[in-house]
Amino acid sequence: MVFSSTLLRNVRAWLPDAEQCLLLVLYAAGFWVAHWVAGFWGGAGFYSLWYPAAGLRLALLWHCGARLTPAIAITELLVDLTKGVFTFMSPDWPTILLGIVRPVVAYGVTVGIIRWLASGSRANLLTPPMPFGLAAVAAPNVAALTAIPQALSRPDLTDVQTVHDVITSLAAFTVGDLLGVLIVAPPLLWIADVTATRRSVPHLTAATFPWQAIVEGGALLILALLSTELLRRVGLGIQPMPAVLAVAWTGLRFGRAAAWLSLLAIALLVLPHSAADMETGTRLQLHLGLATVVVVGYLAGSFADAQKQARIDVERRDRLLFQAERLKTLRAMSVAVIHEISQPLSTLAIEARHLHGITADADTEIAESAALIDRKAATLSDLVRRLRRYGGRSVDEPTPLPVTALIDAVAGMIEPEAKVSGVTLIIDTIYPDLVVMAQEVELSQALMNLLRNAIQATGDGLVRVATTVREDRVEILVLNRYSADILPKAGMGVGTLVSRAIVEAHGGALTREISETGEVRAAIILPLKKDLK
């Protein structure tokens, strides 16, 4: 029963939701048009030297995730069936079918791997927006590499005869996809970011393109085009180096958006010219130069934006370090105060318990007052003991920590804040044998931050804590249903950054997802202690 439920859940994860089905319908129409447009740059042995459909494909995969790969492959197959490009009546239909599905799978696998590399503790290797820049360059090359076996075994399908023709065909395939991806995909993703209700795109604000960027980038582009024309007139052909230098400088100075506009201007000059009748070799050489300009320019812009984001992160972490120093001093002061009051408070709690005992048979008012004093003293004494333990140095070293103890302790501390906010905290049944190696204080802080975010952003007054086990890892889930008015202001600030740093330092990962029904699912994923699992 459990296996079938898990299998059903995994199958559903690969099925598109309502929003994605709408995107697939739009993709089918766009793919049809883009496939037709690409025919103007076709040639012997390849379909097109500018294939905008590849940009649509990568944009959809990057926006929705690699799990949409099968649905995209089916969509492209249906379009090809409708257009008559593919038919099951052909004796070679299995090979042709593989040729249709193969590039989609190559793109999906590439997107999945790069997203995996850019997630969790591996995220330090790829700072946004470099992951997309890498995917935009890698996906066409991976797709071309996967086409080599079929190109060598069945060259007749693409009307190539010699090894030279095969290499030319694969090069044209790569160049066409590269140009299609880097010219078409970025604006589509920017539009998706702008229209998303819970996202913002800082690089598209009015401050993105100051007059200095427009003047400097425009002047460099004009100078590069004049230099290229001069080189052509003296018999050196169309050289891409001046344009490469111009767009690389623009990208490094002003980021991806400015670089892409420069690339668009160059593409609008080159593509109409190359669509005219010309020899395949000449057209391929021209598009190879254009591809070089586009790749260098976009990667330069991506690198500049990644550096800008890295500086923002460093500044934020510097502020956190300053705050940590202040908290360190506050911790020392609080430990001293707690130490001073813990002894008399313990004595007071003992005496209150004794008073409660001896007044049990006294007058009702006296007994109730004594009981109240006993409860308050016990609560206060327990709080001071918890604070003393929380501030002690013994918790700085990783120790086996039962997940139930972690959740119970944090729930006890966050409960008063939840009540003040009118939020009900629900704790699901937790398996008692789940144990992780952790620094209790730090991990408690991470869970506390997630709970505080959920309490601030919940729309129905409910926050739930649950756990699931996946192989050798435990997921601590914080679930709430968002409020559209509150969500943009909560849950994505310093608290989330601190929680992610803490969890990753413990060898885990922190994820945060929002379902189509509005459920926010924040998960702390930690490795279980193996000998106690």
Side-chain angles (χ1 to χ4, degrees):
M1 185 68 179
V2 175
F3 173 78
S4 61
S5 176
T6 303
L7 179 62
L8 180 60
R9 186 166 55 250
N10 291 335
V11 170
R12 286 178 177 175
W14 287 88
L15 296 177
D17 55 31
E19 179 184 354
Q20 291 171 347
C21 286
L22 176 60
L23 289 176
L24 286 170
V25 172
L26 296 175
Y27 176 74
F31 185 83
W32 182 304
V33 174
H35 195 74
W36 171 75
V37 169
F40 291 100
W41 288 268
F46 57 88
Y47 184 72
S48 177
L49 278 168
W50 183 52
Y51 194 60
L56 296 176
R57 180 192 298 150
L58 184 65
L60 186 57
L61 280 168
W62 193 260
H63 180 69
C64 297
R67 290 189 174 186
L68 204 63
T69 300
I72 294 176
I74 293 172
T75 302
E76 292 193 15
L77 179 60
L78 291 176
V79 172
D80 287 338
L81 280 169
T82 305
K83 296 181 65 176
V85 176
F86 170 74
T87 174
F88 287 102
M89 303 302 294
S90 171
D92 294 320
W93 72 263
T95 305
I96 300 174
L97 176 62
L98 177 62
I100 293 173
V101 173
R102 185 190 61 248
V104 183
V105 174
Y107 273 57
V109 170
T110 303
V111 168
I113 291 175
I114 291 177
R115 281 197 174 278
W116 177 79
L117 289 173
S119 64
S121 58
R122 300 169 297 276
N124 294 331
L125 300 175
L126 292 171
T127 303
M130 283 303 293
F132 173 74
L134 180 58
V137 174
N141 286 278
V142 172
L145 289 175
T146 60
I148 292 178
Q150 182 174 325
L152 296 177
S153 61
R154 293 298 306 274
D156 56 297
L157 292 177
T158 51
D159 296 326
V160 293
Q161 303 297 328
T162 65
V163 175
H164 175 272
D165 293 338
V166 171
I167 295 175
T168 301
S169 176
L170 293 174
F173 175 30
T174 307
V175 169
D177 274 25
L178 273 173
L179 292 177
V181 165
L182 288 173
I183 294 175
V184 174
L188 292 178
L189 291 173
W190 292 338
I191 292 171
D193 285 340
V194 169
T195 56
T197 57
R198 295 180 297 277
R199 296 182 185 176
S200 61
V201 187
H203 56 265
L204 287 179
T205 60
T208 302
F209 298 116
W211 285 109
Q212 179 185 358
I214 297 174
V215 173
E216 184 176 328
L220 284 173
L221 186 59
I222 293 173
L223 183 61
L225 294 176
L226 291 176
S227 300
T228 301
E229 178 63 16
L230 178 62
L231 293 174
R232 187 188 69 82
R233 287 180 178 273
V234 298
L236 296 179
I238 300 177
Q239 298 296 326
M241 184 54 65
V244 168
L245 293 176
V247 297
W249 178 265
T250 302
L252 291 173
R253 285 272 289 150
F254 305 111
R256 287 176 301 158
W260 182 83
L261 287 179
S262 297
L263 298 174
L264 179 63
I266 296 174
L268 290 176
L269 292 174
V270 173
L271 291 177
H273 174 68
S274 61
D277 292 336
M278 62 173 57
E279 294 182 357
T280 298
T282 303
R283 178 182 286 164
L284 178 57
Q285 183 178 4
L286 185 60
H287 278 234
L288 279 170
L290 179 60
T292 302
V293 175
V294 170
V295 170
V296 171
Y298 195 80
L299 288 183
S302 297
F303 177 78
D305 285 348
Q307 290 294 99
K308 186 185 299 182
Q309 184 61 46
R311 287 193 296 270
I312 293 173
D313 291 341
V314 169
E315 291 174 359
R316 179 181 292 181
R317 294 187 181 185
D318 285 343
R319 292 195 299 270
L320 290 177
L321 288 175
F322 297 150
Q323 184 181 10
E325 287 299 317
R326 294 174 60 187
L327 292 176
K328 185 177 180 181
T329 303
L330 181 61
R331 171 183 174 178
M333 295 172 59
S334 63
V335 168
V337 172
I338 292 170
H339 178 75
E340 291 297 326
I341 67 174
S342 60
Q343 185 61 39
L345 188 59
S346 297
T347 302
L348 179 61
I350 294 172
E351 293 299 328
R353 189 179 307 112
H354 177 65
L355 178 62
H356 184 198
I358 64 177
T359 58
D361 299 328
D363 182 73
T364 303
E365 185 176 353
I366 295 175
E368 290 178 353
S369 299
L372 178 62
I373 294 172
D374 183 21
R375 288 196 305 271
K376 296 297 183 182
T379 301
L380 189 58
S381 178
D382 181 67
L383 176 61
V384 170
R385 282 197 303 271
R386 186 182 296 169
L387 290 174
R388 186 174 184 180
R389 180 168 170 267
Y390 198 77
R393 295 190 178 275
S394 61
V395 296
D396 287 343
E397 295 299 324
T399 56
L401 174 64
V403 175
T404 52
L406 169 68
I407 294 176
D408 289 343
V410 174
M413 288 185 285
I414 200 68
E415 185 70 34
E417 184 175 334
K419 288 183 178 179
V420 170
S421 301
V423 174
T424 301
L425 186 63
I426 302 173
I427 308 296
D428 287 2
T429 302
I430 310 298
Y431 295 107
D433 57 345
L434 300 179
V435 179
V436 297
M437 286 295 295
Q439 295 174 315
E440 183 178 355
V441 173
E442 292 185 0
L443 203 54
S444 298
Q445 183 64 56
L447 182 56
M448 178 83 76
N449 290 344
L450 295 186
L451 284 169
R452 183 171 288 116
N453 288 343
I455 290 170
Q456 293 173 354
T458 185
D460 58 2
L462 296 176
V463 173
R464 187 162 66 92
V465 180
T467 59
T468 61
V469 178
R470 297 181 183 274
E471 297 179 351
D472 60 344
R473 289 181 171 259
V474 60
E475 293 186 9
I476 304 174
L477 306 175
V478 177
L479 309 169
N480 68 284
R481 192 169 300 280
Y482 76 83
S483 169
D485 295 332
I486 299 175
L487 185 65
K489 305 175 184 178
M492 295 299 290
V494 173
T496 303
L497 178 65
V498 171
S499 296
R500 177 170 283 108
I502 291 172
V503 173
E504 290 178 357
H506 282 78
L510 189 151
T511 62
R512 188 171 182 272
E513 301 173 350
I514 302 176
S515 71
E516 61 176 0
T517 60
E519 185 181 59
V520 182
R521 183 181 185 273
I524 294 177
I525 306 171
L526 295 168
L528 288 167
K529 193 173 186 300
K530 294 182 179 180
D531 56 345
L532 294 176
K533 186 177 66 173

